[in-house]
Structures are given as structure tokens and as C-alpha cells.
Amino acid sequence: MFAALPTGAVADPEWRRAEALRRALHHHAWRYYVLDDPEIPDAEYDRLFAELQAIEARHPDWVTPDSPTQRVGGRPLEGFEPVRHTVPMLSIRTETDTEAGAALAFDARIRKELALGPDDPPVVYVAEPKFDGLAIGLLYEHGLLVRAATRGDGETGEDVTQNIRTIGQIPLRLRGAGAEIERLEVRGEVYMRRDDFEALNERQRARGDKTFVNPRNAAAGAVRQLDPAVTASRPLSFFAYGVGEWPAALGDGPEGGTHWQVLQALRDWGFPVSDLVRRCEGGEALAAYHRDIGARRDALPFDIDGVVYKVDRLDWQRTLGFVTREPRWAIAHKFPAQEQLTRVLAIDVQVGRTGKLTPVAKLEPVFVGGVTVTNATLHNADEVARKDVRVGDTVIVRRAGDVIPEVVAVAPPLPQPRGEPFVMPSACPVCGSAVVREADEVDHRCSGGLYCPAQRKQAILHFAQRRAMDIEGLGEKLVDQLVDGNVVRGVADLYRLGLSSLVGLDRMADKSASNVLAAIEASKSTTLARFLFGLGIRHVGESTARDLARHFGRLDAIMDASVDDLLRVPDVGPVVANSIHTFFAQPHNREVVEQLRASGVHWPEHDGDAKAEPLPLSGKTFVLTGTLPTLTREEAKARIEAAGGKVAGSVSRKTDWVVAGEAAGSKLDKARELGVPILDEAGLIALLDNPGAVSPGSDSDPG
């Protein structure tokens, strides 16, 4: 593959530059991939890389096996060549008892086999995470990576050198003293970080390709690609955890060398070694390590399925030796499995607080992630279809920590015949309202927001908030008690509450109850815009509610409006129009509105903008910044909107006025930069009192 170096090349200045670039790029790759502490920006690395590529393009016979340019590419393989391991890659015995006793039993066995008595010091171990990836052996000769092989059956693996070269964390040339070693085989794990795995699956979904079940399968599949370019496109990482052959260059420690020394040497030579590796003295320390890593497991950026204990002293490892195909000096202590197989008994649909419908698989009970699981989410209808989950299928269920269990894939072989494909119901399984799914959205939703029992708490909290009906004191804890105690079944029931209904609830004495009832009574007098916003119609925020109230003037006109009628409202598009029309088409929602009216909730009505003169500040945009002398931000906003204006959050060339108070910040600077007219509070009030007296271009800048 690589030709011998032509005579005289070493004397060529361009050759010397290429060598300097290779050394620099190796150094910076080590800083970036292994230490996560880059010294130069990505753009500078790319510039150096491009310069080396250009030199090698002019002199193809100068390309070296360890050149950074050789990480990516290479011709696709027809198959993987077998590789016989000089030192077998044996598997470690697994202890499935996840309790502390497994660590203590391992320590007791080691002490017995080493003939250590109770007065002898504790055995020193190295404890490491058990990475959930693909084991790889890396062979280096004179510091250069010459071969990478999978574990295979332990005796013979597959040559995956071209693919392994694409992983940035694996050095092509060893650093420091490692470059002088005649022959060294390093062993470690190729894995995929969780964030990289999620990003990869997102890209797969966007292209309509099959997604991967878990990071381990994704990593293993990437390493075994016949086209190295495909491997290079997959985000793989690596941790070194040992050696197959250790050279004399490691030196002899006071006890004939230790595994800990091996790991430190590997780190010095350019390999990433996990920061979670620890030296532990005795069985109790091993058990404590197992508990500590188990507690941190779900917060780690990569998957592990247990920890590994190894006797630290290498001479003791040789003394203990092997049994069948396993070392006696090491053991894997597992955590509760995060994935298990079970069968789907049914697929139900749950309705969430916001009306979202979620398909849920009802499962044969299975112990996974430390608990017995009987339900697992299927996310949405598209996910059910993509994974093709059906009743009767055997599926892989995953649970990590406190994460809701999910069905990640159907496990072959498939039953014959299979159940019917899942179909999302057209009516809400809780309240019977129509189920809607808007264009470009993955979720189905119940349209009976005011009526649906599953959405009661969310609907009441939204209705009562300050920007809607402003019922002070009606917070989440009180709403929980009212709904859970079946005192309130919907927003209309709020106006039927009496003192006896509230007194006796947690933290609700006579005075507190009276204050809540007074706030409910006061909320009866409101505005049409606030009432519309309080109904919780999907996509109808405060601004849209004001536009609807201004345009139609009357609630009945809005409830009876067609989609075409709604589309005539400024800034109302097809999605919003359909949402409003669907909401009021539900008899349940209309019934709740009538109950609220009958309870005395009222607001001023008018003939609407369609039949009235436009408001004086219609189409004008304001931005508020700083603290005004007498008006609060909400009061200023309300007065501007009552005159037809809109209040935006940022300054642009489309802004008509900026209203600035004390301690105005960057928005005021931006207004001056763009030449946007600036008003103080007095200027704003003058404009509101007489909109024709001040025109854009007038300025009462307080600064």
C-alpha cells in the first residue's frame, strides 16, 4: 500500500515540511480527541491538514502509514481477513449478582488462591467500567499502527484496520517512549457516545433510513462496514483498558509491574483511558466502587453494563492464571440489565395533560433497569409504524435510570401470523372528542381541551394564570387537591365553589379560601382577548387572541366562523385557523363556554374591526426597554395593544418606536444605531392620548 521512501526525499524541504505537519497534526488530534483540550481552533487544524494533503498529492510516494490523511478513505473491502491473536482475547467471567456480595466473594476467592492470611495486607485491584461496545486489539510495530482486529472467538478475529484508522481517538503513531517499542498490542473498546448515537439516529430518520437499536449495535455495525468511508461517517470513540503483549519497555515495578502502570503508560503513549478507573484495596472498596459507578451510570455520556475488577499485580495475575477460557484474576460485576426481551400483550393510548396521545405497549412483566416493567412508551404513531410493533410481537424493552421504559425494536423471529398494524384512534379514548393531527407534526392530540378529564389540571392552570383570567391564589398545589378530590371537574366548576369546598384543604384556612373566592369572583369581569387565551386553544397565544377579539368583536362570531372567515384575521394562517375551528366544532367545548357565561363571566363586545374604523396604532410596532416612571411593563403593553399597536421583543428596522425608561440597555443602543424613533413615558402617553400628534420620526429620547 505504501511505497518505500525515494532516495533523497529526506533532504527535500517539502518533505521536511510534510513531516513537521504530520507531527503537528498528531499532537493536535491527541489534544482534541484524547485530552478534550484543543490548543488551536478547528479552522487552523483544517488549514494544516489541507496543506499536508496538497504536499502528499504532489508526492504520492511520500505518503506514510501514520499520516493523518490516511484516517479517512481507502477502497471498500470485499471481506474481512481472519487474524489469529498472538495472545488470545479471552472473555471475563461475569457475575450477574448485582449486590455487594459478589465483590466480597471475588476478593475472598483471590485471597484464598494466593494463600493470603487474615494478617496479610488487602489485595490491590484496579476497578474499571465495563464498556458496552466492541472489543478491539491494536497492534503497533515500532510505534506505528499496523493492524486492528476484533475479538472474534478469542483465538481468531477479523482484520478491521482500515475502519479503525478512521477513529480519531486511536493514535496512528504512539507518543513519547511508545514510538520506540518494537511490538505492542493494545486492547480496548470501541463505543459510541449517547449524544452521538442520538444524532446519528436523527440523521437516519431524516433520510428515511433504518435507525439503530442502541449505541453498542451502532458501534459494532460501524466497525464491520466493508466501506471505510461509511465507518468514517459514524461517530465512534475508544477507551484503552489493557494490553495483549506488554514489552520490557514498561519496566518492572517493585512487585514485578502492575496493571495500573500499564494504564498510565498507555495514557502517556497517546491512548484515552477512562477517568473512572480506580485502584481499590480489598473487597469492601470494590463493592463501594460498584455502588458509586452504578449511581452515576445514567449520567455518564456512554453506556456501561457493569464494572470490571482486576488484580493489580501482574505477577499475581500470572500466578492465578486461567480457567478454561477466562482469567482467574478478573471478573465482570454486572449492573441490572437496561434491555430485556418480552412480549406485547396490547397497545393502549394514553392522553397527556396537554392532550397529546401516546401509544403505550402493555407487556408481559419483565425485570429491566432494576424494576419490573409492564408498560413501555411507543412515543407516537410514526414510531409504531417505523418499528412495526404489533400485539403478540417479542420486543426489546429498554429502561435506563428514571427514564420511561421504551420499546426500541421488534426482536426476530416474527410470529406468524402477526397482529394487525396499530392505528391511532380518531376519537379521544378518554372523552370522545375528535383526535387531530396537524400538518408537519408527529403528535396526535385530543381537541376537547376544556372537557377532557385527562387535561383538567392543565386546562384549569392555564385558564387561571395571570395573563388569562388572573385568578390569584389558584396555583398548582390547590388545583391538584381540587381535581384529585373530585371537587372540580373543569374550569366552569371554579365558579360554583363555596367556602366549604375550600376550607379544610391543605394550607387553606378561612382567610386563604376567602381570598381565592374573591379572586374567582373578580375574574368574571374580563376581556374577550383574555377569555379566548384562557380557553387554551392550541396555537392561540395572547397576540392571536387579541387579533381575534379585535377582528370579530364578539365570541359567538368567532365560534361560528368558518376557516375562511378566520383566515381574514391578520397573522392567522391555515394551521391556526383550523385549530380554532376544530376547537369550537366540539360540542363539549361549546358546552363549557356556555357554562362559563351562565356563571357570570362577561366582557365588553363590539362589532369588530371588519365593521369598524381601524384603531389608530394598527400596524405599528413598539419595543419596550428599561423601567418607566409610573407604568409597569404590562400596563404599557396593554395600553399600546388597546390602541391597535403590537409590542415586540427586539429592535429591527421594522420597529416604529422604542419606548425607553431608566436603565435601558442594548435595545436602546440598537434603536439609536438603526435610527428608530425613541420615546420616554411622557412621549408614549402623549402618543396614546393623541396618536395623530406624534408620527414616526418624532423623538423624545430620554438619553
Side-chain angles (χ1 to χ4, degrees):
M1 177 179 176
F2 300 99
L5 183 64
T7 304
V10 175
D12 192 305
E14 202 166 35
W15 162 262
R16 292 198 294 273
R17 176 58 179 165
E19 277 291 271
L21 287 169
R22 291 185 192 109
R23 287 194 298 271
L25 289 167
H26 282 310
H27 171 77
H28 292 304
W30 171 68
R31 300 284 310 188
Y32 182 90
Y33 290 111
V34 179
L35 300 186
D36 194 22
D37 184 24
E39 293 178 331
I40 60 174
D42 291 352
E44 177 62 12
Y45 182 92
D46 293 342
R47 188 190 68 77
L48 297 175
F49 190 89
E51 183 183 353
L52 177 61
Q53 278 184 313
I55 294 175
E56 291 181 346
R58 291 192 292 272
H59 305 281
D61 50 348
W62 289 3
V63 178
T64 61
D66 67 318
S67 175
T69 62
Q70 300 308 298
R71 280 203 183 277
V72 181
R75 61 180 178 79
L77 304 172
E78 294 181 1
F80 295 109
E81 296 294 327
V83 172
R84 187 165 184 83
H85 300 299
T86 305
V87 176
M89 291 185 71
L90 302 180
S91 57
I92 296 176
R93 185 167 72 87
T94 297
E95 177 55 69
T96 56
D97 179 359
T98 60
E99 300 302 318
L104 302 178
F106 172 66
D107 177 55
R109 176 174 66 79
I110 293 298
R111 293 185 67 84
K112 180 179 179 181
E113 293 185 7
L114 291 173
L116 298 176
D119 295 331
D120 289 312
V123 176
V124 178
Y125 301 94
V126 173
E128 312 164 356
K130 186 177 183 297
F131 305 107
D132 199 10
L134 182 70
I136 291 291
L138 306 171
L139 181 63
Y140 289 82
E141 292 181 350
H142 302 287
L144 296 180
L145 176 64
V146 296
R147 191 186 69 205
T150 61
R151 182 197 302 273
D153 63 5
E155 298 286 343
T156 304
E158 294 176 319
D159 188 331
V160 289
T161 308
Q162 283 188 237
N163 292 343
I164 292 301
R165 283 179 172 275
T166 69
I167 302 174
Q169 287 181 314
I170 294 178
L172 301 179
R173 176 188 289 273
L174 300 184
R175 296 173 55 81
E180 307 303 321
I181 298 173
E182 183 176 348
R183 184 180 175 89
L184 169 72
E185 188 199 8
V186 177
R187 292 182 175 173
E189 198 89 358
V190 172
Y191 68 97
M192 190 175 290
R193 290 172 53 97
R194 291 172 182 163
D195 53 355
D196 288 334
F197 172 73
E198 293 300 331
L200 173 63
N201 266 350
E202 281 299 317
R203 292 195 296 272
Q204 294 289 107
R205 278 190 283 268
R207 291 195 296 262
D209 293 338
K210 180 181 177 181
T211 56
F212 297 95
V213 173
N214 54 43
R216 185 192 185 284
N217 287 4
V223 169
R224 299 197 72 260
Q225 289 289 325
L226 293 176
D227 186 351
V230 176
T231 307
S233 71
R234 306 276 172 85
L236 297 176
S237 298
F238 178 79
F239 274 129
Y241 56 63
V243 291
E245 304 174 63
W246 56 86
L250 279 177
D252 289 333
E255 301 164 334
T258 65
H259 181 64
W260 184 260
Q261 290 174 332
V262 170
L263 295 180
Q264 303 319 304
L266 293 178
R267 185 179 277 120
D268 291 341
W269 297 340
F271 292 96
V273 176
S274 173
D275 292 336
L276 299 174
V277 178
R278 296 285 185 272
R279 293 184 92 184
C280 299
E281 295 188 4
E284 291 288 355
L286 292 180
Y289 180 82
H290 185 268
R291 287 193 300 270
D292 175 54
I293 298 299
R296 300 164 60 184
R297 179 186 187 187
D298 298 319
L300 296 176
F302 45 79
D303 282 354
I304 60 175
D305 56 6
V307 294
V308 176
Y309 310 137
K310 298 175 182 176
V311 173
D312 192 25
R313 283 177 51 169
L314 300 182
D315 61 337
W316 279 0
Q317 288 186 11
R318 289 189 286 272
T319 297
L320 291 163
F322 300 85
V323 55
T324 59
R325 302 177 59 80
E326 299 169 347
R328 300 181 65 85
W329 43 266
I331 192 173
H333 191 179
K334 298 279 278 188
F335 293 136
Q338 291 182 307
E339 291 184 353
Q340 289 286 10
L341 294 176
T342 188
R343 195 166 67 89
V344 178
L345 302 178
I347 298 178
D348 292 347
V349 174
Q350 293 181 350
V351 183
R353 286 166 59 102
T354 62
K356 175 185 172 182
L357 272 63
T358 301
V360 175
K362 299 294 182 179
L363 308 170
E364 284 185 349
V366 60
F367 191 76
V368 55
V371 299
T372 299
V373 170
T374 56
N375 298 324
T377 181
L378 290 162
H379 297 293
N380 54 59
D382 286 354
E383 281 291 282
V384 182
R386 185 179 63 78
K387 295 171 181 175
D388 194 20
V389 179
R390 307 188 191 186
V391 175
D393 288 350
T394 297
V395 294
I396 301 170
V397 178
R398 180 177 177 83
R399 181 186 182 273
D402 294 329
V403 176
I404 297 171
E406 67 169 333
V407 172
V408 294
V410 174
L414 297 177
Q416 297 297 331
R418 297 182 70 200
E420 292 296 316
F422 171 78
V423 177
M424 188 67 81
S426 58
C428 173
V430 176
C431 73
S433 297
V435 170
V436 295
R437 182 184 185 181
E438 295 164 2
D440 302 323
E441 285 208 358
V442 298
D443 294 325
H444 290 72
R445 295 182 182 275
C446 166
S447 59
L450 286 180
Y451 171 80
C452 183
Q455 303 175 64
R456 283 174 183 165
K457 292 181 181 179
Q458 184 71 22
I460 293 169
L461 286 168
H462 180 83
F463 184 81
Q465 67 169 286
R466 182 171 56 85
R467 294 177 298 160
M469 301 301 285
D470 194 18
I471 305 177
E472 189 174 351
L474 196 63
E476 189 168 350
K477 290 183 178 179
L478 179 54
V479 170
D480 283 345
Q481 293 184 77
L482 291 171
V483 174
D484 293 343
N486 210 29
V487 178
V488 167
R489 292 181 297 277
V491 293
D493 289 341
L494 295 173
Y495 295 96
R496 303 186 186 103
L497 288 173
L499 196 62
S500 60
S501 302
L502 299 177
V503 173
L505 296 178
D506 186 33
R507 297 183 181 181
M508 193 58 58
D510 285 1
K511 183 169 180 57
S512 299
S514 297
N515 289 339
V516 171
L517 291 175
I520 292 173
E521 184 64 27
S523 73
K524 290 181 179 179
S525 180
T526 186
T527 67
L528 178 56
R530 279 179 172 270
F531 182 79
L532 284 170
F533 177 59
L535 295 180
I537 306 169
R538 187 158 167 77
H539 300 304
V540 176
E542 292 177 88
S543 179
T544 301
R546 284 191 296 270
D547 290 341
L548 289 166
R550 188 179 301 137
H551 182 84
F552 289 101
R554 303 181 185 279
L555 179 60
D556 288 337
I558 299 171
M559 292 198 297
D560 295 336
S562 66
V563 171
D564 287 339
D565 293 334
L566 292 164
L567 286 171
R568 296 189 182 98
V569 179
D571 297 330
V572 170
V575 171
V576 179
N578 276 291
S579 180
I580 297 166
H581 186 264
T582 301
F583 181 89
F584 287 118
Q586 304 305 308
H588 306 310
N589 292 336
R590 283 179 170 261
E591 181 181 344
V592 174
V593 169
E594 292 311 314
Q595 290 174 0
L596 288 167
R597 281 171 150 174
S599 297
V601 179
H602 63 280
W603 51 85
E605 293 195 330
H606 57 81
D607 289 335
D609 281 355
K611 301 175 184 178
E613 292 294 322
L615 293 170
L617 294 181
S618 293
K620 304 301 181 185
T621 301
F622 293 73
V623 172
L624 302 173
T625 181
T627 303
L628 301 178
T630 64
L631 294 175
T632 66
R633 183 73 64 92
E634 287 298 319
E635 289 169 341
K637 182 179 179 182
R639 292 195 61 175
I640 290 168
E641 289 170 345
K646 289 193 175 184
V647 177
S650 59
V651 180
S652 70
R653 297 189 184 278
K654 296 181 179 180
T655 304
D656 292 290
W657 284 283
V658 167
V659 181
E662 185 180 351
S666 59
K667 293 177 183 177
L668 179 58
D669 296 335
K670 183 73 172 179
R672 288 170 175 158
E673 178 187 333
L674 296 177
V676 175
I678 300 166
L679 299 173
D680 57 13
E681 184 183 282
L684 173 63
I685 292 173
L687 175 63
L688 294 169
D689 289 344
N690 187 7
V694 183
S695 60
S698 301
D699 203 328
S700 57
D701 187 345

